[in-house]
Amino acid sequence: MLLQPIVNLVAILSKKGLKRAIISPGSRNAPLTIALARHPDIQTFSISDERSAAFIAMGMAQSSKEAVAICCTSGSAAYNYAPAVAEAFFLEIPLIVLTADRPKEWIHQHDGQTIYQTDIFGKHVKKSFEIGADYSHPDAIWHIERTVNQAVNLANTFPKGPVHINIPLREPFYPLENEVVEFDRNVRIIERTKTEAILSTEVWAELLQKIEQYDNILIAGGQDDYQPELSEVLAKIQAEFQIPVLGDIISNLSFEAISKHDTFLPKADAELAPELLITFGKSFISKSFKTYLRKHKAIEHWHLSLNEHLIDTFQSLTQVLAVEPLYFFKKMLEELDFRQFKNGDEEERDGEYLNTWQKAETKANVYIENFFSESFHQVSLNEFYAIKQIMDALCPNSQLHLANSMSVRYANYLTVSANKKIEVFANRGTSGIDGCVSTALGAALTTDKLVYLLVGDLAFFYDRNALWNRYVPDNLRIILLNNHGGGIFRMIDGPSKQAELNDYFETVQSYKADTTAQEANLEYFFVDNIEKLSASIEAFCSKEGKAKLIEIETNAVNNTEVFKKFKEGFVY
Amino acid sequence: MLLQPIVNLVAILSKKGLKRAIISPGSRNAPLTIALARHPDIQTFSISDERSAAFIAMGMAQSSKEAVAICCTSGSAAYNYAPAVAEAFFLEIPLIVLTADRPKEWIHQHDGQTIYQTDIFGKHVKKSFEIGADYSHPDAIWHIERTVNQAVNLANTFPKGPVHINIPLREPFYPLENEVVEFDRNVRIIERTKTEAILSTEVWAELLQKIEQYDNILIAGGQDDYQPELSEVLAKIQAEFQIPVLGDIISNLSFEAISKHDTFLPKADAELAPELLITFGKSFISKSFKTYLRKHKAIEHWHLSLNEHLIDTFQSLTQVLAVEPLYFFKKMLEELDFRQFKNGDEEERDGEYLNTWQKAETKANVYIENFFSESFHQVSLNEFYAIKQIMDALCPNSQLHLANSMSVRYANYLTVSANKKIEVFANRGTSGIDGCVSTALGAALTTDKLVYLLVGDLAFFYDRNALWNRYVPDNLRIILLNNHGGGIFRMIDGPSKQAELNDYFETVQSYKADTTAQEANLEYFFVDNIEKLSASIEAFCSKEGKAKLIEIETNAVNNTEVFKKFKEGFVY
């Protein structure tokens, strides 16, 4: 093979654990394409639209917790990766971005697909590497091998994230007909041993002293992976030490944590304000939670994060603890248990603060159930009601993907029942609507679980190319809320009062998804009233059969009224 | 209005000539949206998919030769602009890219749609500007006004191109209900007077001496605007001074220049090699032309370009002349005329070199006509034949947009008749398939001419969102060559011999365009044999009625054989 170093690059990727690669068609990336496709241990997919390809890869990497490679030709192809690369960067998902390039000397020479690809993803990759186009000198080969090793190590080191390797390739780059591509078994591997960050006994002593000093302690989880062990530890901290634990739907806390804060917090006074706030995970969906904590600032705020950025979401941060949440809370539980054992009940927390939170939570739960049993929902179908019915009917042990804009917000009001063990995902790194369908499809390709996607019509049609490939898997279930526009703009105060609402904010659009479903060979359900909804839910949610799409058509004005009624009606 | 400086920014854009803006829905860009939409002299469009929006704007700016603004919300939205921004940069098309942003202090704080937007387009804008989020100090307002003036001046200075203004905005950013937005009539305008670069008498004397010294001079035009005056001058130079002028279909030379070089050059020997090569415009499609000139290098190669980059497409460049082609050739014609008048016929060029080119051209023309009259075309429809029939039937005074990959290559073999005055466009800046449909649609929105787009199925479905808006104009005519995959990979030697051809290069896809046409309310023609083609061409090509799409379904293997036969059959 003419370009053996490129074949070896792929051999190194595989030896370092790469199992999946998405290739977008092109000629310049042919050596990479051929090496990836022929490698016996790498599963490859061919996706034409690079924007969708990169989001599919991100969904795969997020769901499988393993790095995925994407590979494209030179030119603007790489730029179509950028939205997903930025999302992966903020969500800390490992992607190996392989962009073929022309040799440097061909840039800006009016010749073919050539742009400035060096550092093309700006600050949205952990690092951008570049190899040379010529491999005649042994040092050049040393550079390639070292670079690939470093790139993969970096992508998989916390905080994980995308890395970029720009790969200039010189013609000819096709092997001869029937030429055998041989993967060198002895390619050079340089591992980076995983380390664990821990806190010293002295630091723990200080921290525990503070924990005991404060009456009102709140633990709050931002977006995070589904981690049953972490949930178990947090559940014990809440139950045994009366410290409330709160999480958005995307924090994936699988126990009875506080989760209905979107309903009750806008009506709450200072009584829920923490003195010590301990947070982990990434972003919070709940604007009311952020607003509340920015107003009622904690005296101390510890944030657990391995990220070097100083992230001060609530404008109250006092201390960064660069350790894993599981390590921290496990040790905290142990230490609190030990102190309790040593000191008996004398220093026990009185539980009032937890009580206040739990009372509000219970009230919100009752309110929600009552709200959806009101008779007006039966008259004309609204999307909030439809989502409630469907979320209640989701199969256990499934994945739920929430598209941005209203989908993720509605879902955060309703949450999923902890005992269903549903993993929840959303592209909250950059919160764009641009790749929600592709992300869910990517996830579905890596799991046997059912993968539900809740998505509005703008996000769905924006990313319709997610379904333009040969891989749409049977376990995909798309819940499409079609109110024919960006309903969110009607919901928020500012734009709803502007003359430009219809045309420039809501962006009314007429498309329905029946044809898309047909083209992509999805089983299609159409629902525009409550009877059809009731009749379809079970069949749609079930594991049986092929991929399905349920289109729920509602009226934006009605949706807005219902949601407003819901938000205003709660009495704290 | 709370954000009067933003309103003034829009007032400045308008005073400096901005007539069109494309807005993608968002909340952060609301002040810009409202100011643009309410400005009486700016026509605004609302397009949800930012990737498509930017290509539509580029098509508008390219066709109208006037800068167009694009405006999006914060976050990954801006990255979706990047493919079109890169294309506009290399095609030197003026775009004013307005990206709303969160104030700097909110970057990487796990809060909403926030990425690193500063310099997000890398080297693919002429300049990236950024204004402050706070306007309380008068200097801040001075900065905004100055920045907008500089940005527009720069976008419109040769070489034209995209400029980026990143605009952080602080809440609240919606005007009150019924609040009147007032555009200040006295906003500050700073113009940049247009200059013209000329060459001194001494320089001309040197150049003319060289022109007279060489027997074999070739003038060749890369991609350029349709400029009848330039064509007229070049026609005279060819006719009066026996200097052959050659152009690809995208060079828009509207006279009988040499244009069939793709057919005859692969078979030619050194007899066509120029001693002096004079080029203008941007890229050449023709690989055989580039290969020929790189093999048979000119002794001197002058390239006319106002671009500061040293662009040496043929690896023979000796001199850059930073002047407008029209100035240069007009002056050259005058000077040659004057010298001929002064010296009489004694120094006249013998015409042998031009003759050699024209003989080859004539032979190619005859060959092409004979090839398409062969009977095997009648048996099963092939795309090359279909394109020939349609290109011959295009209405005069129309626009022809050529998508990348095979469409532009086929068309370059066939060319359009000079007397039809058809303007030809193609995204040959980065040569991506990513925005060809959007570009054509944008052009159609700025002209009364018919706008034909020749596009393959991969490029069409990739950019299907081009049609997902309320603006699809009646004058759009899409010729879709559906061979269910990237036919180009079957045509070129390397990939056609690989086991990965079907899956990873050609990327077989099953979609047909009937549903897309229906959704976008296009008149739809389906053609899969020669009778249907003959029966549809006239109705499809005509000016009557609404936007139309003709889907020409052919077999990739057959297409490949026909094209191979065509290329091999020519005898020089």
Side-chain angles (χ1 to χ4, degrees):
Chain A
M1 174 72 183
L2 213 57
L3 299 174
Q4 191 62 40
I6 299 301
V7 176
N8 290 356
L9 182 157
V10 170
I12 295 171
L13 289 177
S14 170
K15 281 217 167 184
K16 292 184 77 74
L18 185 84
K19 291 183 193 151
R20 296 179 188 90
I22 297 188
I23 298 162
S24 294
S27 200
R28 188 60 50 170
N29 58 335
L32 286 157
T33 299
I34 289 168
L36 287 165
R38 294 193 192 174
H39 198 290
D41 302 325
I42 298 175
Q43 190 185 8
T44 46
F45 302 84
S46 174
I47 307 281
S48 295
D49 183 340
E50 286 91 359
R51 180 169 72 185
S52 172
F55 275 110
I56 292 174
M58 203 198 70
M60 287 178 168
Q62 185 178 36
S63 171
S64 68
K65 310 203 184 347
E66 292 169 339
V68 173
I70 49 180
C71 170
C72 69
T73 190
S74 66
S76 56
Y79 257 148
N80 283 288
Y81 279 169
V85 168
E87 181 63 35
F89 179 73
F90 289 108
L91 281 190
E92 302 174 1
I93 295 172
L95 286 184
I96 316 290
V97 185
L98 308 171
T99 58
D101 198 358
R102 300 214 163 196
K104 282 274 163 286
E105 60 270 22
W106 282 103
I107 296 180
H108 218 141
Q109 295 300 308
H110 287 164
D111 193 82
Q113 298 177 326
T114 317
I115 69 172
Y116 290 95
Q117 290 183 202
T118 308
D119 293 325
I120 193 165
F121 302 111
K123 293 184 179 173
H124 303 103
V125 283
K126 287 189 72 178
K127 198 170 164 67
S128 195
F129 299 89
E130 187 158 67
I131 61 179
D134 297 292
Y135 322 127
S136 50
H137 198 286
D139 286 2
I141 291 172
W142 169 55
H143 180 228
I144 295 174
E145 293 179 343
R146 201 187 67 207
T147 297
V148 183
N149 274 285
Q150 190 186 353
V152 180
N153 290 347
L154 204 55
N156 288 321
T157 305
F158 285 97
K160 295 181 178 184
V163 292
H164 173 212
I165 312 179
N166 193 44
I167 305 173
L169 289 161
R170 211 180 274 297
E171 291 189 72
F173 35 61
Y174 287 98
L176 302 175
E177 199 175 354
N178 302 323
E179 187 179 345
V180 176
V181 169
E182 298 226 33
F183 297 97
D184 184 350
R185 286 160 184 272
N186 301 311
V187 284
R188 194 147 171 238
I189 298 299
I190 311 169
E191 294 293 5
R192 189 180 197 279
T193 306
K194 203 183 158 188
T195 56
E196 248 173 294
I198 60 166
L199 303 169
S200 70
T201 314
E202 293 71 35
V203 170
W204 269 114
E206 279 173 42
L207 297 176
L208 288 162
Q209 197 191 341
K210 285 180 174 172
I211 289 171
E212 288 179 342
Q213 164 198 330
Y214 291 113
D215 288 327
N216 300 351
I217 303 176
L218 177 67
I219 296 173
Q223 179 164 25
D224 212 341
D225 290 345
Y226 184 82
Q227 303 167 81
E229 200 184 346
L230 177 61
S231 282
E232 209 177 295
V233 173
L234 289 169
K236 281 186 190 158
I237 291 176
Q238 179 169 288
E240 293 176 23
F241 297 95
Q242 318 287 321
I243 296 172
V245 180
L246 174 149
D248 276 344
I249 189 169
I250 53 171
S251 62
N252 279 303
L253 299 177
S254 54
F255 67 101
E256 296 304 327
I258 305 293
S259 64
K260 298 300 189 306
H261 41 283
D262 259 346
T263 301
F264 64 77
L265 263 189
K267 308 281 173 90
D269 275 331
E271 68 277 11
L272 295 173
E275 293 163 322
L276 170 62
L277 172 67
I278 307 175
T279 58
F280 63 97
K282 288 179 277 284
S283 72
F284 286 81
I285 302 164
S286 174
K287 192 160 184 177
S288 54
F289 183 63
K290 288 186 280 193
T291 307
Y292 187 88
L293 286 191
R294 284 170 197 160
K295 186 175 170 198
H296 304 287
K297 288 199 171 74
I299 300 168
E300 289 199 42
H301 172 196
W302 305 346
H303 182 54
L304 312 182
S305 169
L306 297 169
N307 197 309
E308 64 173 11
H309 289 274
L310 206 160
I311 299 172
D312 183 21
T313 313
F314 305 105
Q315 304 185 316
S316 62
L317 189 65
T318 52
Q319 205 156 338
V320 176
L321 295 162
V323 291
E324 290 271 14
L326 182 59
Y327 156 78
F328 180 84
F329 291 116
K330 239 174 149 172
K331 181 81 176 173
M332 173 175 157
L333 177 63
E334 268 171 34
E335 293 289 338
L336 290 177
D337 271 338
F338 178 70
R339 293 199 172 206
Q340 195 174 49
F341 168 76
K342 215 171 56 180
N343 304 336
D345 289 347
E346 64 196 66
E347 284 180 27
E348 206 169 284
R349 226 163 267 282
D350 67 4
E352 204 188 306
Y353 184 62
L354 174 63
N355 250 333
T356 315
W357 278 97
Q358 283 183 333
K359 269 202 299 210
E361 176 83 0
T362 305
K363 216 177 244 179
N365 276 323
V366 172
Y367 173 72
I368 292 168
E369 292 308 318
N370 287 340
F371 180 79
F372 288 109
S373 64
E374 285 193 53
S375 60
F376 71 86
H377 291 291
Q378 309 291 320
V379 182
S380 69
L381 185 63
N382 70 79
E383 60 191 13
F384 200 21
Y385 177 85
I387 296 168
K388 174 75 166 95
Q389 304 311 307
I390 289 197
M391 283 181 69
D392 285 349
L394 300 181
C395 288
N397 298 305
S398 57
Q399 287 192 4
L400 173 61
H401 287 250
L402 302 168
N404 278 311
S405 202
M406 279 312 291
S407 301
V408 69
R409 289 183 172 82
Y410 276 132
N412 202 45
Y413 277 87
L414 301 175
T415 75
V416 283
S417 165
N419 55 30
K420 278 200 181 173
K421 300 181 194 308
I422 291 175
E423 284 185 86
V424 183
F425 299 89
N427 287 351
R428 299 300 290 177
T430 73
S431 300
I433 63 165
D434 37 11
C436 303
V437 189
S438 296
T439 307
L441 184 120
L445 285 168
T446 62
T447 178
D448 292 332
K449 294 181 177 184
L450 278 184
V451 173
Y452 298 98
L453 165 67
L454 185 69
V455 60
D457 53 296
L458 283 193
F460 177 77
F461 288 108
Y462 194 114
D463 188 24
R464 182 154 58 142
N465 277 356
L467 301 171
W468 180 44
N469 58 60
R470 303 190 296 273
Y471 309 105
V472 180
D474 287 346
N475 58 338
L476 185 66
R477 300 284 176 275
I478 299 174
I479 303 144
L480 168 58
L481 306 167
N482 196 345
N483 51 37
H484 296 289
I488 193 168
F489 294 108
R490 194 171 284 278
M491 306 267 181
I492 54 180
D493 262 5
S496 64
K497 289 178 182 148
Q498 307 300 324
E500 291 78 11
L501 173 62
N502 279 353
D503 286 350
Y504 296 96
F505 292 108
E506 196 177 32
T507 329
V508 174
Q509 69 85 27
S510 61
Y511 278 27
K512 288 168 91 170
D514 48 347
T515 51
T516 309
Q518 187 191 323
E519 283 168 342
N521 193 24
L522 305 175
E523 191 179 343
Y524 175 72
F525 301 77
F526 179 75
V527 161
D528 60 355
N529 63 38
I530 205 149
E531 291 75 28
K532 287 190 201 162
L533 179 68
S534 308
S536 308
I537 281 187
E538 199 184 332
F540 170 77
C541 288
S542 93
K543 290 200 171 207
E544 306 307 315
K546 62 181 183 178
K548 304 179 206 312
L549 185 150
I550 187 167
E551 179 162 29
I552 300 170
E553 192 176 51
T554 57
N555 174 281
V557 176
N558 184 33
N559 291 333
T560 308
E561 279 166 18
V562 170
F563 194 48
K564 199 175 164 197
K565 195 181 283 184
F566 174 84
K567 286 190 289 184
E568 288 175 356
F570 180 78
V571 181
Y572 183 72
Chain B
M1 177 66 184
L2 210 60
L3 298 174
Q4 191 61 41
I6 298 299
V7 175
N8 290 357
L9 182 157
V10 170
I12 295 171
L13 289 177
S14 172
K15 281 217 169 184
K16 293 185 76 75
L18 185 85
K19 292 185 193 150
R20 295 180 188 90
I22 297 188
I23 298 163
S24 294
S27 199
R28 188 61 50 171
N29 58 334
L32 286 157
T33 299
I34 289 168
L36 288 165
R38 293 193 191 175
H39 197 290
D41 303 324
I42 298 176
Q43 189 185 7
T44 46
F45 302 84
S46 175
I47 306 282
S48 295
D49 183 340
E50 287 91 1
R51 180 170 71 187
S52 171
F55 276 110
I56 291 174
M58 202 197 71
M60 287 177 167
Q62 184 178 35
S63 171
S64 68
K65 310 203 183 345
E66 293 167 339
V68 173
I70 48 180
C71 170
C72 69
T73 191
S74 65
S76 56
Y79 257 148
N80 284 287
Y81 279 169
V85 169
E87 181 63 35
F89 179 73
F90 289 109
L91 281 190
E92 301 174 2
I93 297 173
L95 287 184
I96 316 291
V97 185
L98 308 171
T99 58
D101 198 358
R102 301 216 161 193
K104 281 276 164 285
E105 61 269 23
W106 282 102
I107 296 179
H108 218 142
Q109 294 301 306
H110 287 163
D111 193 81
Q113 298 177 325
T114 318
I115 69 171
Y116 290 95
Q117 289 184 201
T118 308
D119 294 326
I120 192 165
F121 302 111
K123 294 185 178 172
H124 303 103
V125 284
K126 287 189 72 178
K127 199 170 162 68
S128 195
F129 299 89
E130 185 157 66
I131 61 180
D134 297 291
Y135 323 127
S136 50
H137 198 285
D139 287 0
I141 290 171
W142 169 55
H143 180 228
I144 294 175
E145 294 179 343
R146 202 186 67 205
T147 297
V148 183
N149 274 285
Q150 189 185 352
V152 181
N153 289 347
L154 204 56
N156 289 321
T157 305
F158 284 98
K160 296 183 178 183
V163 293
H164 173 213
I165 313 180
N166 193 44
I167 306 173
L169 290 160
R170 213 180 274 294
E171 292 188 74
F173 36 61
Y174 288 99
L176 302 174
E177 200 175 350
N178 302 322
E179 186 177 344
V180 176
V181 170
E182 298 225 35
F183 295 97
D184 185 350
R185 286 161 184 274
N186 302 310
V187 284
R188 190 141 178 243
I189 298 299
I190 310 168
E191 293 294 6
R192 189 180 197 281
T193 306
K194 202 185 158 187
T195 57
E196 249 173 293
I198 61 166
L199 303 169
S200 71
T201 315
E202 293 72 35
V203 170
W204 270 113
E206 280 173 41
L207 296 177
L208 288 161
Q209 197 191 337
K210 284 181 174 174
I211 289 170
E212 289 180 341
Q213 162 197 329
Y214 290 113
D215 289 325
N216 300 350
I217 303 177
L218 177 67
I219 296 173
Q223 180 164 24
D224 212 341
D225 290 347
Y226 185 84
Q227 301 169 80
E229 200 184 346
L230 177 61
S231 283
E232 209 177 294
V233 173
L234 289 170
K236 282 187 189 155
I237 290 177
Q238 179 170 288
E240 293 177 24
F241 297 95
Q242 319 290 317
I243 296 173
V245 180
L246 173 149
D248 276 344
I249 189 168
I250 54 171
S251 61
N252 279 302
L253 298 178
S254 54
F255 66 99
E256 297 304 329
I258 305 292
S259 64
K260 298 298 189 306
H261 42 283
D262 259 344
T263 300
F264 65 77
L265 264 188
K267 307 280 173 90
D269 275 331
E271 68 277 13
L272 295 172
E275 293 163 323
L276 170 61
L277 172 67
I278 307 175
T279 58
F280 63 98
K282 288 179 277 287
S283 72
F284 286 82
I285 301 164
S286 174
K287 192 158 183 178
S288 55
F289 183 63
K290 289 187 280 192
T291 306
Y292 187 88
L293 286 189
R294 284 170 198 159
K295 187 176 170 196
H296 303 287
K297 289 198 171 73
I299 299 167
E300 288 198 44
H301 172 195
W302 305 345
H303 182 54
L304 313 181
S305 169
L306 297 169
N307 197 308
E308 63 172 12
H309 288 274
L310 206 160
I311 299 172
D312 183 21
T313 314
F314 305 105
Q315 304 184 317
S316 62
L317 190 66
T318 52
Q319 204 157 342
V320 176
L321 296 163
V323 292
E324 290 271 14
L326 181 59
Y327 156 77
F328 180 84
F329 291 116
K330 239 172 149 170
K331 181 82 175 171
M332 173 175 157
L333 178 63
E334 269 172 34
E335 293 289 337
L336 290 178
D337 272 338
F338 178 70
R339 292 199 173 205
Q340 194 173 52
F341 168 76
K342 214 171 56 178
N343 302 337
D345 290 347
E346 65 196 64
E347 285 181 29
E348 204 168 289
R349 224 164 271 280
D350 66 7
E352 203 188 307
Y353 185 62
L354 174 63
N355 251 333
T356 314
W357 278 97
Q358 284 184 333
K359 268 203 295 209
E361 177 82 2
T362 306
K363 213 176 251 182
N365 277 323
V366 171
Y367 173 71
I368 292 168
E369 293 309 318
N370 287 342
F371 180 79
F372 288 109
S373 66
E374 283 192 54
S375 59
F376 71 86
H377 292 290
Q378 309 291 321
V379 182
S380 70
L381 186 63
N382 70 78
E383 60 190 15
F384 199 21
Y385 177 86
I387 296 168
K388 175 73 166 93
Q389 304 311 308
I390 289 197
M391 283 181 69
D392 285 349
L394 299 180
C395 287
N397 298 307
S398 56
Q399 287 191 5
L400 173 62
H401 286 250
L402 302 169
N404 278 312
S405 203
M406 278 313 291
S407 301
V408 71
R409 289 183 172 83
Y410 275 132
N412 202 47
Y413 276 88
L414 301 175
T415 75
V416 284
S417 165
N419 54 30
K420 278 198 180 175
K421 300 182 197 304
I422 292 174
E423 284 185 87
V424 183
F425 299 89
N427 288 351
R428 298 301 290 178
T430 72
S431 300
I433 62 166
D434 37 12
C436 303
V437 189
S438 297
T439 307
L441 183 122
L445 286 167
T446 64
T447 179
D448 292 331
K449 294 182 177 184
L450 278 184
V451 173
Y452 298 99
L453 166 67
L454 185 67
V455 60
D457 52 297
L458 283 193
F460 177 77
F461 289 108
Y462 193 113
D463 188 26
R464 182 154 59 141
N465 276 356
L467 302 171
W468 181 45
N469 57 64
R470 303 190 296 273
Y471 310 105
V472 179
D474 287 346
N475 57 340
L476 185 65
R477 301 286 177 272
I478 299 173
I479 304 143
L480 169 58
L481 306 168
N482 196 346
N483 51 35
H484 296 288
I488 193 169
F489 293 108
R490 194 172 284 278
M491 308 266 182
I492 53 181
D493 261 4
S496 65
K497 290 181 181 143
Q498 306 301 322
E500 291 77 12
L501 173 62
N502 280 354
D503 287 350
Y504 295 97
F505 293 106
E506 197 177 33
T507 329
V508 173
Q509 69 85 28
S510 60
Y511 277 28
K512 289 170 90 170
D514 49 347
T515 50
T516 309
Q518 184 191 325
E519 283 168 342
N521 192 23
L522 305 175
E523 191 179 343
Y524 175 72
F525 301 76
F526 179 76
V527 161
D528 59 356
N529 63 39
I530 207 150
E531 291 75 30
K532 288 190 203 165
L533 178 69
S534 309
S536 309
I537 280 186
E538 198 182 334
F540 170 78
C541 288
S542 93
K543 289 200 172 209
E544 306 307 315
K546 62 180 183 179
K548 304 180 205 310
L549 184 151
I550 188 167
E551 179 163 27
I552 300 170
E553 191 176 50
T554 57
N555 174 282
V557 176
N558 184 33
N559 291 334
T560 307
E561 278 167 17
V562 170
F563 195 46
K564 198 175 163 197
K565 194 181 283 183
F566 175 83
K567 287 190 289 184
E568 288 176 354
F570 180 78
V571 182
Y572 184 74

